[in-house]
Amino acid sequence: MGLTLPGEQPPASGAEHPDHGSLDPADNRTRSSVITARAAHTFEPVGRSVAAARAFVRDTLQGWGFGDVVDDAVVLTSELVTNAVVHAGTAAEVVCLRSGDGVRVEVSDRYPEREIPLQSGGVQMGSPDREGGRGLQLCAALASRWGVEYSPAHKHVWFRLDLPERQVGTRTAGPSVSTELLPLADERVRVAVIQIDGEGAVSAWNDDALELFGHPSKQIIGKPLTDYAAWPHTPGTSTGIAEALRLSRWEGSYGVRAADGRVVPVYASHLRVRDPRGKPSTVCLLVRDDERAVLATPQRGPAPESGHRADGQSTDPFETFIGSPAPDDLDGLLQRTVERSRDMLDGDAAFLLLATDDETELEVRATTGLPSARQRFARVPVDPGSGRRGTARMPAVHEDLAAVPGAVSLLDGTGMRSVVTVPLKVEGRLTGSLGVAAEGAGRYSNEEALRLQFAADRIALAVESARLGELERLRRGSLSFLVEASDLLAGTLDRDQTLALMAQMTVPTLATWCAVYTIADTASDPYLSYVLHEDEERIDGLKELLGRIDPPEPVPTPGARIWPAPARAAHEAALEASVRSLDDEPHHLGSGLGSTLTTAASVGGEAVVLPLVARNRVIGMLVLGKPSEDHFRQENLELAEDLSRRAALALDNSRLYSERMAISQSLQRSLLPPDKPEVPGVEVEVIYRAAGEGNEVGGDFYDLFTIPDGAYGFAIGDVCGTGPEAAAVTGLARHALRLLAREGYSGPAVLERLNNAILDEGERSRFLTLLYGELRPQEDGSALLKVVCAGHPLPLRLRQDGSVEAAAEPQPLLGVMDDLELYEQTVRLEPGDVLLCVTDGITERREGSRMLGDDGLAEVLKGCTGLTAGAVAARVMRAVERFAADSPSDDMAILTMRVPEPQRN
């Protein structure tokens, strides 16, 4: 594309409406048509792309300073993109081209076969409702020029909007008014100039910012603006401060947290710029909210009150009041409504509240001219008093609120004196309330109430429809949230991890901060087990604050209840810190005070407690909190209640699992010897690895103990199965072996009596494989072993020459037959010899169809010549672990004995 606007050259193929003049390049123009900026975006063929395209064009043109043609460009773009993504069903590419005298917008689709009906100027186009007709009809009415161009793969519809001629230095101007009607301001209007770098941190802070908010520049430069901005934001449904700072231009109200902890309502104008190196930043101009006239862009002229346009055609009353195009989301629609209502009645503030499902309360959803961050989602009763003025179901006019304090609680402390409120109703059902207020008394009468009611009737159905749509989206999101939460909670049986998941799922989705209290038993007090804040730097301060107050009462009643203690404690801590700082250093705010005030602001809002009830017992409480003056939405509280029920069950399951695992581990430890004795002249090493997660008692065991006449008994065995029954046989075997061996019985006699004891267990009996032997060190440096191998993997003997052989013969296992004929075998270990004893978890280690087996174990042992007993055991265990990639599925025990070689001089 060249340097001149494509519209300034005749199209290669296509058409142009003749009523809009020639595109001859020789057309004499006084202003430059050279392209100075270009912006493009492609939108998918889905319905929501139309709204996204409108936002793209609006933001682009506002950023270029083309506010005079923004509305017309947005309307035309909306129609042309609708034709592409809805009717043609293809993606649409939108290109904005800026020049010195106007802007050209191109909309391209990928369906050139579907022609747009073009007609000559003398023929009327079809009905505006006809597909493809309305967009071109609007182009003909609004655009300076427009046309259609074709290519083999695309069709381009374009329009051009020329900027109106304006005298140099003149942009907009208001009417001349008397001095008494000018806005009231302080002796000096202070404009805070704050610059925000590309990372969202403050890089410049002027003297007026210090005067307005009390923060010295050296304390605030380099910190994120989000730490100080009290932004009116609903997660997932409206623009946040980070998004607003990235827009090319933005105007609106929010709050800034001052050094003394107060939130100062401000009106702000943001402009995004870049330096010569291309690095972006945002310049913010802020004034007190009641001085917004200093910065606010003048509104466009009011729309006609009648239902007809100047050309005689009828208009939609809703669009007449709201403006076209109407916002697509509920928050945008409500905000547009309060702004138009305020302007219509020349008020200082306006507010809109929506009714709950049972029509007993109203929830603040949009305000202008009021501290919205403080009031958002606050609730007031529908019928707070008696009489017509005491209900939101009827229009009401208050000429002077000072005479009836508390009549409109939303306006308490705001300085508003007069107010008019009207209901929003759909089919006779109360759906909300709309109000406009002024700082002067006696500003409104029944005439203004009728005008406002007429406007409320225009938008009530659209508001209710948008509200139901939002509720449906929230419910779907809630179901998805609960499904994901259930999966996460079910995926762990660790108590600490369950507590962390509970907190992480609520912050920041449902609350700004969260605390979990647990109750060990009915006789125990609640204990603060976990604390989380969306700002990690606030966690320690929050934990300290909650540690100073009594925990909430463990009430089993379901549902959320208000807990005022944290907010009260936060305010008291902030006050004490302020007084202490003033006493120490009257002219300096220390870092400790700043941290205390920040913590107080982040905790000082609404806090609710939800009981964690499992198996008819309160096992803890889930506390959710908001920052100063903020409130919870009812939908979020209902979602939190559902989450608390699932979390309580998961927490109780983790408790039961931890108790069971502790019992199992304690029992497992009791089945193994506490220590092994030192055997003179013989190295002994044992390695024991239990399979599973530690919650099952294994069946493998080993033992090494002293017996009379300087001998040592040793055993390694494996009971069939796991669990309590296997543990019972394991305990019986280990203790019986020690008792019988110390009574002087031989190896076969010991095992025969143990066999009878196992059979006496009846149904609880389990068969047992056991290798038992007696070890006697000899004076010549060797060791004499007497061994009985009852159904157990055979012990292997490694000689000094590297040969490996079985050191015993197989005999019947225990716990199966009554009469056993067992015999013992004698083995002599010479210096340097090693005896390796293992359980079947070693030999039956598998990788697919392969198994290590006795032969594989013998091969590993052959490579251990010259190693100590400990090194032999370690090498065998490493070989077994590397044999397969999966974790072992069976317990493993290794017992090695080695006679060391004599030391040579």
Side-chain angles (χ1 to χ4, degrees), residues 29-374:
R29 301 187 59 82
T30 59
R31 288 178 289 175
S32 171
S33 293
V34 175
I35 296 174
T36 57
R38 181 182 188 274
H41 198 283
T42 301
F43 300 92
E44 296 299 319
V46 292
R48 63 177 179 271
S49 293
V50 179
R54 287 199 296 263
F56 164 70
V57 172
R58 179 179 296 279
D59 291 343
T60 299
L61 269 59
Q62 288 283 14
W64 290 348
F66 286 5
D68 295 322
V69 297
V70 163
D71 289 340
D72 290 344
V74 167
V75 171
L76 295 178
T77 302
S78 178
E79 293 296 331
L80 297 179
V81 173
T82 299
N83 285 339
V85 303
V86 176
H87 301 313
T90 77
E93 182 182 14
V94 180
V95 179
C96 299
L97 302 170
R98 181 185 72 179
S99 67
D101 56 354
V103 64
R104 170 174 167 137
V105 179
E106 300 176 354
V107 179
S108 305
D109 65 50
R110 299 187 177 93
Y111 192 39
E113 293 82 3
R114 180 180 175 277
E115 297 183 359
I116 293 182
L118 298 177
Q119 300 178 1
S120 64
V123 181
Q124 293 294 327
M125 290 187 179
S127 167
D129 297 327
R130 174 184 171 186
E131 181 181 340
R134 184 182 178 193
L136 298 182
Q137 193 171 24
L138 287 173
C139 284
L142 300 178
S144 304
R145 300 178 181 187
W146 64 276
V148 184
E149 299 175 1
Y150 291 93
S151 67
H154 295 80
K155 177 172 77 272
H156 309 272
V157 182
W158 61 269
F159 62 86
R160 176 182 172 83
L161 298 171
D162 291 336
L163 294 177
E165 295 282 357
R166 294 182 299 195
Q167 295 182 2
V168 176
T170 300
R171 183 178 180 188
T172 58
S176 176
V177 296
S178 62
T179 305
E180 292 76 14
L181 296 179
L182 293 176
L184 181 63
D186 291 342
E187 292 184 2
R188 176 190 167 191
V189 176
R190 298 191 179 274
V191 180
V193 181
I194 306 172
Q195 192 157 7
I196 313 299
D197 64 22
E199 304 301 325
V202 177
S203 59
W205 183 268
N206 73 338
D207 291 340
D208 278 359
L210 170 63
E211 292 295 330
L212 287 174
F213 310 122
H215 300 289
S217 60
K218 64 180 180 180
Q219 292 186 2
I220 202 168
I221 288 179
K223 295 182 179 179
L225 180 63
T226 52
D227 289 353
Y228 300 92
W231 193 262
H233 174 55
T234 304
T237 58
S238 64
T239 302
I241 184 169
E243 289 79 6
L245 290 173
R246 286 195 294 268
L247 297 176
S248 57
R249 291 177 182 271
W250 184 89
E251 283 188 26
S253 299
Y254 54 92
V256 175
R257 296 184 180 91
D260 59 3
R262 295 182 301 108
V263 174
V264 179
V266 298
Y267 190 87
S269 176
H270 298 175
L271 174 65
R272 191 164 173 81
V273 299
R274 60 186 174 91
D275 62 18
R277 296 181 299 277
K279 189 174 183 180
S281 63
T282 304
V283 178
C284 306
L285 306 180
L286 296 85
V287 298
R288 293 186 180 91
D289 196 53
D290 53 10
E291 297 172 347
R292 59 184 176 273
V294 177
L295 297 182
T297 300
Q299 298 288 331
R300 297 184 62 164
E305 288 291 331
S306 66
H308 293 78
R309 300 202 313 238
D311 58 7
Q313 299 184 18
S314 61
T315 59
D316 184 354
F318 170 74
E319 291 189 355
T320 301
F321 178 71
I322 291 296
S324 180
D328 298 315
D329 62 302
L330 177 62
D331 284 344
L333 178 61
L334 300 182
Q335 194 62 36
R336 179 80 65 85
T337 298
V338 295
E339 292 170 356
R340 293 294 173 89
S341 300
R342 178 197 64 187
D343 296 342
M344 182 179 71
L345 298 187
D346 193 23
D348 296 308
F351 51 89
L352 193 150
L353 301 85
L354 295 183
T356 55
D357 291 339
D358 57 3
E359 296 183 24
T360 60
E361 289 184 307
L362 296 168
E363 185 178 66
V364 179
R365 291 300 301 271
T367 63
T368 182
L370 296 174
S372 55
R374 176 172 65 89

Side-chain angles (χ1 to χ4, degrees), residues 601-663:
S602 64
V603 181
E606 191 173 70
V608 296
V609 180
L610 297 107
L612 299 174
V613 181
R615 298 173 177 88
N616 299 320
R617 186 174 75 85
V618 180
I619 63 171
M621 286 87 70
L622 178 65
V623 180
L624 305 179
K626 287 282 190 177
S628 289
E629 307 298 342
D630 208 350
H631 301 268
F632 284 97
R633 295 189 62 176
Q634 185 63 29
E635 295 85 354
N636 286 348
L637 291 180
E638 293 171 356
L639 182 58
E641 185 177 355
D642 286 337
L643 176 63
S644 68
R645 287 194 289 267
R646 290 163 171 79
L649 188 59
L651 183 60
D652 198 48
N653 287 340
S654 67
R655 177 187 62 83
L656 295 175
Y657 176 81
S658 299
E659 292 177 356
R660 177 183 176 186
M661 186 168 62
I663 293 172

Side-chain angles (χ1 to χ4, degrees), residues 455-592:
D457 293 340
R458 294 178 181 180
I459 57 97
L461 184 59
V463 168
E464 180 66 4
S465 176
R467 186 185 74 88
L468 293 176
E470 182 192 61
L471 286 177
E472 179 64 22
R473 289 190 296 273
L474 287 174
R475 286 177 181 136
R476 290 181 179 178
S478 299
L479 289 175
S480 176
F481 173 80
L482 289 175
V483 168
E484 182 179 358
S486 299
D487 289 343
L488 290 172
L489 291 171
T492 178
L493 289 172
D494 182 82
R495 176 182 177 276
D496 292 338
Q497 189 173 0
T498 301
L499 292 173
L501 283 174
M502 291 169 57
Q504 292 165 6
M505 285 185 292
T506 57
V507 177
T509 305
L510 302 178
T512 304
W513 61 270
C514 167
V516 183
Y517 291 84
T518 56
I519 304 174
D521 51 57
T522 54
S524 301
D525 294 328
Y527 175 76
L528 182 61
S529 298
Y530 200 89
V531 175
L532 184 65
H533 195 285
E534 64 179 6
D535 182 355
E536 293 183 358
E537 295 182 357
R538 306 272 78 81
I539 294 179
D540 291 339
L542 174 59
K543 189 180 299 184
E544 180 183 357
L545 181 71
L546 294 176
R548 294 202 302 263
I549 62 179
D550 294 332
E553 289 294 326
V555 178
T557 306
R561 70 181 191 275
I562 301 296
W563 188 33
R568 187 165 52 244
H571 296 158
E572 292 174 356
L575 180 60
E576 292 174 2
S578 299
V579 172
R580 186 165 55 252
S581 178
L582 291 174
D583 290 341
D584 296 340
E585 300 181 48
H587 303 291
H588 177 69
L589 294 177
S591 59

